[in-house]
């Protein structure tokens, strides 16, 4: 594809003009060691501007049309907003190590950074930069080769997030949960995190996003993950954003030999949600499982776009995305599998399944295979359907009312994704979240 | 006294094709009725019409459960009112845990009847008792509903559901088919435990053997969508000898 040619004649949209203005004024602020990276990223962004439907990767989520204005960059949250963040509900009952961000700012008082397990280091991004952590500067923005305007914007404006390092061989049982709660004012949040899992280490990372239904805000989040050889990471991203929120998130992962990534994306609310993942399987035996579930209603729109880059022998990727669409909601699944020359014995599979609960809902599915090796297995498929009337009858014949029968069957549909989550407590909490979300329909 | 089930001149169709042609049947509380009849004579259709399966339309006549018009009730209301159909072909429900399903069913019925819900520990205890009676492995009940069950295991599972829900009227659509000889005894024993003066049981079957275990008070012969003969349990023995030829000729 490459860059779209610069079109000097195109008038910038209001949002693009505003972004340039903000970028110019923020230059002096923040960590000087990122200045070059930010400038290069903003230049890259400026060459294409906001992506629109003519960009293949953004075909169904026209950011240029959707982003009518740019909310101001977040300012530090008021105490009242911090207070209300104590009620952040996603996985509240699960024993995770919670690191809380309110309105884009790290809130140490609500975060648990005490008694870190041996081998685990967790810092806020601002903290890491302030103390001149060389490893952070060396790796941030350089985990993968990602040419994408939303990610470039994130790099140009990156605000707060975490830097996590799991030392070689460390096995961190307690999930690390980044809790992002929107603030009380309309704002744009640029969140950025870097996670390094060293040789043979294991960890679970949860990123949860929550916001008020009535609040207008934009989230541009990015997480870069390095999995060294034999490392293993389970990552769960749960978005329960407000109905007026726009959320764009980029996940960049690079996997060394025999590394294992198990990634989950749950979209349980939000006006526009885009999760784009760029996964590079760089060395033999790397394994990535990417799963997602969208439970959408009203006019919600969720887009999962995956790019799986198989660059080494015996690498495996499995993608399974499920959507439950009510009202006039929309789900997009785009998955591109690239098998580079020499990446023999690659095994790559993608499946997208959609359950339509309403005639007005729509699912778009676009798989793409680019294969340059001959001894590989690649498969993709998709299904779109309604609930099985015979099963609804069977449940009702046992006394279960229609709405409940539908909920049970819908939960079962989503259950296939949840069942793959490793920890039972997390599975149970996710099941409860999904069930709550489904019953909201009624 | 109001009959438990009263079907009067019932006509019903599916996909525009009339299957029930003036069906009459009265089942009183305490009675066990057997319905026998050739393939395609509409036995399952009758059970679906009574339970309210979508696509099955009553065009004439009436079906009353304890005096209440079934056609005015939704499928789940009929169940809560005490109607239970053990399916000829029980369905597999992937992803729905058996216990979740049983709890949802029992408590939905109880709630509709204004009764107290059964607690989870009580439910588990009860299900264990029933599994023992039906010689079922509890491990099976930890799986999703009927998923991967053999034909016979599905029939046992249907019987377990029926015993748990304690309906007023049980309709067993060929519960015996697919059961081995031992299973037939076990399941019949379960059904016999449900026999009571307050409950009616209708067993649809092709085989006289089942009726050796579940002794019926009344036996009906159904042909071409209606009952063509009614008698005592000796009628089943007679059918074993003669087959349905004469009834099919009569109905035609
Ligand atoms: N969806 C349908 N559309 C049209 N005809 C149907 C449909 N379902 C059933 N039938 C027909 O209705 C008739 C009665 O079928 P039903 O299953 O009630 O018979 P049955 O007496 O239960 O037979 P068996 O002893 O084989 O179980 C059959 O001729 C069958 O083909
Ligand atoms: Mg039948």
């Amino acid at each position: 594809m490459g860059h779209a040619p610069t079109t000097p004649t195109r008038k910038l949209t209001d949002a693009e003009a505003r972004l340039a203005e903000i970028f110019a004024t923020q230059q002096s602020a923040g960590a000087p060691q990122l200045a070059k990276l930010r400038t290069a990223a903003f230049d890259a962004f400026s060459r294409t501007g906001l992506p629109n439907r003519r960009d293949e990767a953004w075909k169904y989520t026209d950011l240029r049309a959707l982003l009518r204005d740019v909310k101001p960059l977040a300012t530090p949250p008021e105490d009242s907003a911090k207070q209300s963040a104590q009620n952040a509900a996603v996985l509240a009952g699960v024993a995770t190590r919670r690191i809380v961000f309110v309105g884009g700012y790290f809130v140490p008082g609500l975060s648990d950074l005490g008694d870190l397990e041996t081998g685990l280091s967790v810092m806020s991004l601002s903290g890491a930069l302030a103390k001149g952590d060389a490893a952070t500067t060396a790796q941030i923005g350089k985990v993968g080769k990602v040419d994408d305007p939303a990610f470039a914007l994130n790099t140009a404006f990156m605000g707060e997030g975490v830097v996590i390092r799991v030392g070689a061989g460390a096995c961190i049982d307690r999930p690390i949960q980044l809790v992002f709660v929107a603030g009380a004012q309309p704002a744009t949040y640029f969140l950025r995190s870097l996670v390094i899992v060293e040789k043979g280490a294991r960890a679970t990372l949860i990123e949860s996003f929550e916001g008020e239904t009535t609040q207008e805000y934009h989230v541009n989040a990015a997480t870069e993950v390095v999995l060294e050889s034999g490392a293993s990471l389970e990552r769960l991203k749960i978005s329960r954003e407000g109905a007026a929120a726009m959320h764009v998130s980029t996940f960049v992962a690079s996997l060394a030999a025999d590394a294992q990534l198990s990634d989950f994306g749950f979209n349980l609310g939000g006006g526009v949600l885009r999760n784009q993942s760029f996964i590079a399987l760089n060395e033999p035996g790397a394994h990535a499982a990417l799963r997602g579930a969208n439970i959408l209603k009203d006019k919600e729109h969720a887009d999962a776009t995956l790019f799986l880059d198989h660059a080494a022998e015996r690498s495996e990727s499995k993608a399974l995305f499920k959507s439950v669409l009510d009202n006039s909601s929309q789900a997009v699944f785009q998955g591109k599998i690239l098998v580079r020359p020499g990446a023999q014995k690659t095994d790559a599979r993608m499946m997208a399944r959609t359950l339509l609960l309403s005639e007005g809902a729509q699912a778009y599915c676009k798989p793409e295979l680019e294969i340059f090796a001959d001894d590989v297995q690649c498969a993709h498929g998709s299904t779109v359907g309604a609930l099985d009337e015979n099963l609804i009858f069977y449940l009702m014949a046992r006394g279960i009312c229609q709405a409940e029968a539908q909920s049970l069957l819908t939960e079962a549909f989503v259950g296939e994704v949840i069942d793959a989550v490793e920890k039972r407590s997390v599975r149970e909490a996710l099941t409860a979240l999904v069930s709550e979300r489904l019953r909201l329909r009624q | 006294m109001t009959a438990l089930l009263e079907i009067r001149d019932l006509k019903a169709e599916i996909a525009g094709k009339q299957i029930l042609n003036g069906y009459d049947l009265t089942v009183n509380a305490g009675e066990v009725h057997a319905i026998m009849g050739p393939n395609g004579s509409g036995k399952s259709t009758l059970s679906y019409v009574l339970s309210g399966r979508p696509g099955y339309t009553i065009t004439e006549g009436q079906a009353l459960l304890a005096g209440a018009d079934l056609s005015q009730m939704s499928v789940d209301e009929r169940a809560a009112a005490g109607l239970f159909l053990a399916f000829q072909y029980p369905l597999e429900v992937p992803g729905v845990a058996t216990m979740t399903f049983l709890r949802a069913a029992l408590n939905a019925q109880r709630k509709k009847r204004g009764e107290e819900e059964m607690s989870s520990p009580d439910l588990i205890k009860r299900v264990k008792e029933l599994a023992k009676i039906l010689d079922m492995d509890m491990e099976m009940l930890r799986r999703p509903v009927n998923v991967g069950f053999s034909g016979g295991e599905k029939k046992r599972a249907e019987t377990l559901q029926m015993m748990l829900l304690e309906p007023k009227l049980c309709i067993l659509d060929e519960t015996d088919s697919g059961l081995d000889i031992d299973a037939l005894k076990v399941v019949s024993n379960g059904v016999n435990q449900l026999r009571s003066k307050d409950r009616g049981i209708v067993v649809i079957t092709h085989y006289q053997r089942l009726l050796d275990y579940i002794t019926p008070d009344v036996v009906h012969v159904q042909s071409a969508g209606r009952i063509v003969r009614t008698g005592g349990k000796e009628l089943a023995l007679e059918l074993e000898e003669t087959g349905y030829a004469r009834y099919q000729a009569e109905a035609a």
Side-chain angles (χ1 to χ4, degrees):
Chain A
M1 262 190 315
H3 285 294
T6 315
T7 47
T9 47
R10 181 171 77 82
K11 189 175 169 291
L12 295 184
T13 65
D14 289 351
E16 287 165 341
R18 183 82 190 107
L19 285 165
E21 227 175 272
I22 301 175
F23 188 73
T25 56
Q26 77 150 22
Q27 277 308 289
S28 51
Q33 67 266 49
L34 292 185
K36 260 176 137 168
L37 183 71
R38 289 186 193 277
T39 305
F42 197 77
D43 287 349
F45 168 75
S46 303
R47 279 195 289 276
T48 61
L50 289 165
N52 70 2
R53 63 182 186 283
R54 280 184 294 279
D55 295 293
E56 266 315 295
W58 290 84
K59 185 170 172 160
Y60 301 100
T61 304
D62 186 331
L63 201 57
R64 196 178 296 172
L66 288 165
L67 198 74
R68 300 200 164 277
D69 63 340
V70 177
K71 308 289 176 210
L73 291 189
T75 50
E78 289 154 16
D79 285 342
S80 59
K82 289 188 196 168
Q83 285 305 318
S84 64
Q86 281 175 325
N87 305 327
V90 171
L91 304 192
V94 182
T96 62
R97 176 183 291 285
R98 289 162 78 87
I99 300 163
V100 179
F101 299 81
V102 176
Y105 282 78
F106 172 50
V107 185
L110 295 178
S111 302
D112 176 7
L113 286 176
D115 295 326
L116 289 175
E117 292 88 335
T118 312
L120 176 65
S121 138
V122 182
M123 293 179 277
S124 69
L125 176 60
S126 61
L129 292 171
K131 74 175 213 199
D133 184 64
T136 302
T137 318
Q139 281 179 291
I140 204 154
K142 300 182 187 84
V143 169
K145 289 190 198 71
V146 176
D147 177 13
D148 174 83
F151 182 61
L153 268 186
N154 185 283
T155 302
F157 289 98
M158 66 172 99
E160 193 56 292
V162 289
V163 177
I164 296 174
R165 181 176 293 272
V166 187
C171 184
I172 311 300
D173 187 51
R174 185 172 165 204
I176 301 162
Q177 184 181 1
L178 313 181
V179 179
F180 296 103
V181 184
Q185 304 296 326
T188 302
Y189 308 117
F190 287 99
L191 307 162
R192 180 68 165 251
S193 293
L194 174 66
V195 178
I196 294 146
V197 188
E198 295 183 351
K199 281 194 176 65
R202 298 174 66 91
T204 301
L205 175 71
I206 300 171
E207 299 176 40
S208 58
F209 295 82
E210 291 175 71
E212 294 288 330
T213 308
T214 50
Q215 192 58 263
E216 279 189 48
Y217 58 92
H218 297 160
V219 174
N220 182 327
T223 300
E224 290 177 284
V225 168
V226 178
L227 295 184
E228 295 185 358
S229 61
S232 160
L233 179 74
E234 180 176 78
R235 172 179 177 263
L236 293 107
K237 178 170 178 287
I238 305 162
S239 306
R240 199 167 71 169
E241 302 281 27
M246 189 184 302
H247 174 120
V248 175
S249 144
T250 308
F251 177 48
V252 184
S254 113
L255 279 68
D258 300 317
Q260 305 250 356
L261 169 70
S262 176
D263 183 62
F264 294 86
F266 290 92
N267 287 325
L268 306 175
V272 175
L273 297 153
R274 157 107 172 177
N275 286 338
Q276 47 180 3
S277 302
F278 300 86
I279 314 296
L281 299 117
N282 291 324
E283 293 182 14
H287 182 286
L290 298 135
R291 299 182 183 87
N294 297 314
I295 298 168
L296 307 178
K297 59 185 173 111
D298 303 329
K299 287 187 175 148
E300 291 172 342
H301 171 100
D303 175 332
T305 294
L306 310 184
F307 178 50
L308 292 153
D309 183 349
H310 287 263
E313 284 188 14
R314 290 185 293 105
S315 55
E316 278 185 19
S317 66
K318 300 266 150 27
L320 173 66
F321 280 74
K322 293 207 162 182
S323 299
V324 178
L325 307 181
D326 203 355
N327 311 122
S328 49
S329 60
Q330 300 184 333
V332 179
F333 175 79
Q334 302 186 106
K336 180 170 169 179
I337 296 171
L338 168 65
V339 181
R340 294 188 187 262
Q344 301 296 11
K345 308 274 184 218
T346 284
D347 188 349
R349 285 155 210 274
M350 280 191 304
M351 176 54 86
R353 294 191 191 281
T354 306
L355 190 56
L356 294 178
L357 300 181
S358 140
E359 283 180 10
Q362 262 178 311
Y364 302 94
C365 183
K366 196 183 73 177
E368 207 181 323
L369 303 179
E370 262 187 73
I371 302 173
F372 300 101
D374 51 12
D375 183 14
V376 302
Q377 292 206 45
C378 290
H380 62 81
S382 68
T383 60
V384 178
L387 286 172
D388 184 340
E389 289 295 331
N390 294 317
L391 291 182
I392 293 178
F393 168 65
Y394 187 57
L395 298 191
M396 289 180 72
R398 298 300 178 248
I400 298 169
C401 72
Q402 183 164 15
E404 182 64 16
Q406 288 173 339
S407 292
L408 282 172
L409 294 174
T410 309
E411 278 168 46
F413 174 79
V414 178
E416 191 185 351
V417 171
I418 297 179
D419 284 347
V421 172
E422 199 173 293
K423 268 201 167 22
R424 187 177 153 161
S425 57
V426 179
R427 280 200 302 273
E428 286 173 355
L430 282 167
T431 304
L433 278 175
V434 165
S435 157
E436 181 191 326
R437 169 83 174 158
L438 287 172
R439 280 165 177 74
L440 274 182
R441 301 191 297 112
Q442 292 154 19
Chain B
M1 202 189 75
T2 324
L4 184 55
L5 176 67
E6 172 104 49
I7 302 176
R8 285 193 221 125
D9 193 30
L10 191 69
K11 294 184 181 158
E13 58 178 43
I14 169 153
K17 184 176 157 196
Q18 184 163 330
I19 310 288
L20 299 186
N21 299 303
Y23 208 101
D24 290 293
L25 175 68
T26 302
V27 178
N28 292 304
E31 293 175 355
V32 174
H33 289 233
I35 297 176
M36 306 182 82
N39 296 134
S41 59
K43 302 180 299 299
S44 294
T45 300
L46 173 74
S47 73
Y48 292 144
V49 168
L50 295 179
S51 49
R53 186 164 199 157
Y56 291 74
T57 326
I58 296 178
T59 51
E60 266 185 71
Q62 269 195 319
L64 308 174
L65 181 70
D69 187 350
L70 284 172
S71 71
Q72 299 302 309
M73 299 183 214
S74 61
V75 176
D76 54 315
E77 284 166 356
R78 298 176 199 213
L83 179 71
F84 183 96
L85 166 63
F87 283 53
Q88 181 173 1
Y89 304 108
L91 282 82
E92 300 193 7
V93 194
V96 176
T98 303
M99 279 298 174
T100 307
F101 166 74
L102 294 176
R103 184 182 310 120
L106 182 64
N107 286 336
Q109 291 200 16
R110 289 188 165 206
K111 218 166 141 185
K112 271 195 209 95
R113 295 194 293 257
E115 297 165 15
E116 208 178 311
E117 296 190 7
M118 188 185 268
S119 72
S120 289
D122 286 351
L123 179 83
I124 292 167
K125 200 171 144 232
R126 181 73 185 128
V127 170
K128 277 188 178 155
E129 285 166 14
L130 296 174
K132 199 159 171 230
I133 294 171
L134 293 167
D135 195 19
M136 285 177 79
D137 193 343
M138 273 307 281
E139 204 41 58
M140 274 175 59
L141 299 171
R142 290 197 184 94
R143 285 194 237 157
V145 181
N146 294 335
V147 173
F149 288 17
S150 72
E153 287 168 345
K154 283 180 185 161
K155 298 303 180 76
R156 286 184 206 226
E158 290 286 286
T159 311
L160 184 139
Q161 291 177 26
M162 183 168 76
M163 295 177 79
L164 176 73
L165 296 171
E166 300 180 335
K168 278 192 204 150
L169 178 69
C170 309
I171 303 173
L172 288 80
D173 190 359
E174 296 196 29
T175 299
D176 53 336
S177 56
L179 291 179
D180 65 43
I181 300 161
D182 296 332
L184 184 63
K185 282 186 201 166
V186 167
V187 167
S188 302
N189 171 40
V191 175
N192 282 329
Q193 292 198 11
L194 282 179
R195 289 186 85 141
S196 98
K197 64 174 179 27
D198 303 318
R199 183 172 287 128
I201 298 175
V202 176
V203 292
I204 295 169
T205 183
H206 287 295
Y207 306 106
Q208 198 275 329
R209 180 192 285 277
L210 175 71
L211 306 181
D212 286 342
Y213 298 110
I214 306 172
T215 317
D217 301 299
V218 189
V219 175
H220 306 277
V221 180
Q222 173 171 341
S223 181
R226 58 198 184 87
I227 285 178
V228 291
R229 187 158 169 212
T230 295
K233 59 176 183 286
E234 66 292 342
L235 181 53
L237 289 165
E238 184 191 315
L239 287 168
E240 194 93 334
E241 295 292 316
T242 61
Y244 296 117
R246 51 181 278 224
Y247 300 109
Q248 278 169 304
E250 256 172 48

